[in-house]
Each structure stands twice: as structure tokens, then as C-alpha cells.
Amino acid sequence: MAINYPNGKKFSPANSKPKKQVKKDFSFSNRGKTLEDELNESNAYYLERGFAVIHKKPIPLQIVKVDYPSRSSAVIREAYFRTPSTTDYNGVWNGIYIDFEAKETRNKTSFPLKNIHEHQVRHMAQVIRQQGKAFLIIRFSSLDRYFVVPFSLLEDSWNRMIGGGRKSIELAEIEQAGIEVIPGMYPRIDYLPAFEQLYRNEESEER
Amino acid sequence: MAINYPNGKKFSPANSKPKKQVKKDFSFSNRGKTLEDELNESNAYYLERGFAVIHKKPIPLQIVKVDYPSRSSAVIREAYFRTPSTTDYNGVWNGIYIDFEAKETRNKTSFPLKNIHEHQVRHMAQVIRQQGKAFLIIRFSSLDRYFVVPFSLLEDSWNRMIGGGRKSIELAEIEQAGIEVIPGMYPRIDYLPAFEQLYRNEESEER
């Protein structure tokens, strides 16, 4: 993955004045990016600086037919998408196992639960039982707002839905229980400090 | 994934006498299985019992062409295998981030390092720096012997190779630094206790 932004070594403080302008450009050029692109950028940034090792998992496919046009190359000619049995992202930060799913919605007032599979909820519950940390990153794309949402809110909303309640999480509930990530310059979605805040809050509640 | 072996609830201690015979059959029927099949079975077993949440990552592919023969289905018609940038397995056990690569060799006296990619070594080093645990599971298939091998031995051997030394890890070195997993009944490769032993050894060395 190419990192276009100059790193600290090449970028002296004296050169840092036009940052605001750069920020604007970045923000604009990021408009067309998917949440996945943005998070890949964040993860590359974290990896490069030694902050965390978090990767997106490849898309699970069932491969049916492979051709070998030459000895060294293989071309997959028939394959199907499979339903993922876990979340898309996981890794390690500071000795903590991190596991999350990232979803975007164009909805402006709530996050529809149909975006999440039941086995993903089950997987995240399993992670929590193993003392890992599980959460959602939700992008309200029409509002350009991003949240790190603790699994507890997803779980409560899921159970509410199963009990016959609403099939979504209200934005107000997300604002209440989650931590908002304000888009920045680079990485645009710096979600790790928001996660850390959630994690510290949980820890202090447990004490 | 189907689990064919009855779980504890269905299997009363009174029925457990013919285990030795079952073991033999299992061991025989597992001969044709790949290491991946065996580890998937182990991981399903750990997951079912709440011992750990460890999954194999999907194979990374670059998708070039997708057909949509009907509204609800998609068929991938052209895709290519990509070199994985991480290891194949990761997850969480008891609050510990676990990350490993599993490889088999038909070699009887050493494990050739050409089985491992340089970026996988780099990835495992990054994991260790984030206080995760990284290791190899090596199967010597001609010997039917399995080892959990700490990253430290891989790293030392890798650096030795770069320095012009041998391009493999000797079996004797693996016996010395790793923990052997004796194939059992179910799961056939119960690698978690071996990892735990390695981990406890490391912890006591650090103290």
C-alpha cells in the first residue's frame, strides 16, 4: 500500500505551516474513498509507526476452478463469495487483542442492524469472553460522521431486535455509548485513540 | 464446519471405554488430512468449548472479473492468488493475542526456510513488539511429528541464513527450543497446551 504523505523525517516543523490547506485537500480527495480504504490507510499508518498491528482479513471465497496457463501462474476461473464467519479486522495493540467490523450507512438517524450478520455478533461475543476487545466502526456517510461503538451497545440492540424491538441502533444511542472520530488529515480516520478511550472507560467502570 | 465427534453432553463416561479403538481409527483416517484440515478441527474444538477464538484467514486473492448471472448471485470469473502479507492463523486465548503460521515438510532432518516468506517473519516480529505471541506449527509429515516452535528460533535461523549460514532449521534445534505435540484422538493436534507451556517458559525466563 502506497503512503503518499511524507513521514516525519522528511517533513520538518518549518514546512508544516500549509497543513490546513493540505488537510482540506485530503479531506476532499477522501470523499470518494470507501470506509475500507480509509481504515486500510489508518492500519498502514499504525503499522508503520509501531502503534498497532491490525489487518483487514481477505474476503472469503470458495474456489471451484483454477487454470494453470503456465507452470508458474494460476488463474481462478470460478469462485464464489462466502459469508464471513468472523469480523473483517483484527490484530494486536499493546498486548490487547482487537477485533472489529466496519460498516457504513447512508441513513441519517440510525444504523440498521441488517448490516451485521448474526454469526458476527456471536464471534464478537466469543472474543469478549476470551478477554479480547470487540467493537464496531460505523460511518454515517451522509453526515460524514464516524463512531467507534462498543460491542455492548450492538449486543443490547441485537437482543432488543430479537425481542421484537426496533431493527436498528439510533444515532443518539451511538452518540451516547460510542466515541466519535473526527476526520483528520493523516490518517483521516484515527480510530485507535477513540478505541483507547472506550477501553479506559470500561476499565475504570470495572474497578 | 461439521464436528463429527459427539460433545461432552452426549457422551457419558460409561460410553468412554472404547476410546482406544476410536483413537486408532481417527489416527488412521487423519493420515490423508492436510495440516490445515487438522488445525481447522483443533480451532473448531477450541471455539466450541470456549478455550480460544482462533481462525484461519481466507486466502488473499485479487479479483479481476465478476459475473452476475442473476440478481442475487455473483460468480468470480478471473482472480489471482496474492502473496499473503501476514500469517495464516490468529486469534485470542485468555486475553493473549496469538498469531502463527503452519507449515509441513517431507524433509526428515530439518525445516527449509524457503517455506516462510520474509514479510511473514517481519509480521511476526511486529506482533511480538505489540506484546502478542507469534510462533510456528511445523509438521514433519514423513515422521508424523508436530512442533510448536517459538518465533525466537525462526528469527535466529532467519538471521543466520541472511548472514550466509544454513537455509533451514535443524530438527534437533526444533526439538530443543520447541514443544512437541503428540497426535491424539480429538482434536488430533491439540496445540494449545504446547503453546501455553512455551508461553509459561518465556514468562518464567523474563522474571
Side-chain angles (χ1 to χ4, degrees), chain A residues 35 39 100-104 111 135-139 146-149 181 189 191:
Chain A
L35 179 56
L39 294 177
F100 64 93
E101 186 64 23
K103 291 290 179 193
E104 37 195 328
F111 174 75
F135 54 94
L136 293 179
I137 294 182
I138 296 177
R139 174 191 189 183
Y146 298 75
F147 294 90
V148 172
V149 177
V181 182
I189 305 307
Y191 68 85

Side-chain angles (χ1 to χ4, degrees), chain A residues 38-84:
Chain A
E38 293 177 326
L39 294 177
N40 286 346
E41 184 190 79
S42 307
N43 291 337
Y45 172 90
Y46 296 146
L47 187 65
E48 198 184 90
R49 279 158 186 76
F51 292 167
V53 180
I54 298 165
H55 290 275
K56 183 177 184 295
K57 291 186 188 177
I59 299 165
L61 298 175
Q62 190 183 4
I63 299 170
V64 174
K65 190 172 167 233
V66 183
D67 278 356
Y68 297 89
S70 77
R71 265 184 67 185
S72 62
S73 71
V75 186
I76 293 145
R77 287 295 179 198
E78 187 182 349
Y80 299 90
F81 292 103
R82 282 167 45 199
T83 311

Side-chain angles (χ1 to χ4, degrees), chain B:
Chain B
M1 190 189 177
I3 307 284
N4 296 317
Y5 194 74
N7 64 27
K9 282 176 189 168
K10 290 180 190 163
F11 203 61
S12 76
N15 294 333
S16 64
K17 267 192 176 168
K19 257 184 182 171
K20 204 138 198 176
Q21 186 54 42
V22 175
K23 179 176 178 172
K24 228 175 176 178
D25 290 340
F26 260 84
S27 168
F28 184 78
S29 73
N30 269 288
R31 280 286 154 78
K33 280 194 180 175
T34 63
L35 180 57
E36 179 181 330
D37 291 336
E38 293 178 326
L39 295 177
N40 287 346
E41 183 190 77
S42 308
N43 292 338
Y45 171 90
Y46 296 147
L47 187 65
E48 197 183 273
R49 279 158 187 77
F51 293 166
V53 181
I54 299 166
H55 290 275
K56 184 180 184 295
K57 292 186 187 176
I59 299 166
L61 299 176
Q62 190 183 3
I63 298 170
V64 175
K65 190 172 168 235
V66 183
D67 277 357
Y68 296 89
S70 77
R71 264 185 69 186
S72 61
S73 72
V75 186
I76 294 145
R77 288 294 180 198
E78 188 183 349
Y80 298 90
F81 292 103
R82 282 167 44 200
T83 311
S85 54
T86 66
T87 49
D88 273 357
Y89 298 85
N90 75 354
V92 58
W93 162 76
N94 204 21
I96 310 289
Y97 174 83
I98 280 181
D99 195 299
F100 65 94
E101 185 64 23
K103 291 291 179 193
E104 37 196 328
T105 178
R106 295 205 62 78
N107 205 309
K108 287 174 186 168
T109 56
S110 68
F111 174 76
L113 287 168
K114 65 165 192 261
N115 286 298
I116 305 287
H117 297 293
E118 189 190 349
H119 46 256
Q120 291 181 317
V121 178
R122 206 182 315 131
H123 168 72
M124 292 169 102
Q126 287 162 342
V127 163
I128 301 277
R129 273 198 296 277
Q130 281 300 322
Q131 300 166 53
K133 298 291 169 187
F135 55 93
L136 292 179
I137 294 182
I138 297 177
R139 174 193 190 182
F140 286 89
S141 43
S142 304
L143 310 172
D144 201 31
R145 293 183 70 184
Y146 298 75
F147 294 90
V148 172
V149 178
F151 174 67
S152 54
L153 178 58
L154 171 62
E155 193 175 37
D156 291 348
S157 310
W158 195 267
N159 289 336
R160 182 174 64 190
M161 177 180 71
I162 288 170
R166 53 182 301 145
K167 289 172 180 157
S168 60
I169 315 178
E170 285 181 83
L171 174 57
E173 294 175 301
I174 290 170
E175 287 173 326
Q176 171 76 24
I179 306 282
E180 185 160 5
V181 182
I182 309 297
M185 185 170 60
Y186 182 77
R188 186 164 189 266
I189 306 307
D190 190 11
Y191 67 85
L192 211 48
F195 160 71
E196 199 175 343
Q197 195 182 326
L198 259 189
Y199 168 67
R200 300 290 175 214
N201 292 351
E202 274 176 20
E203 276 216 313
S204 64
E205 275 166 27
E206 278 161 19
R207 243 178 261 132

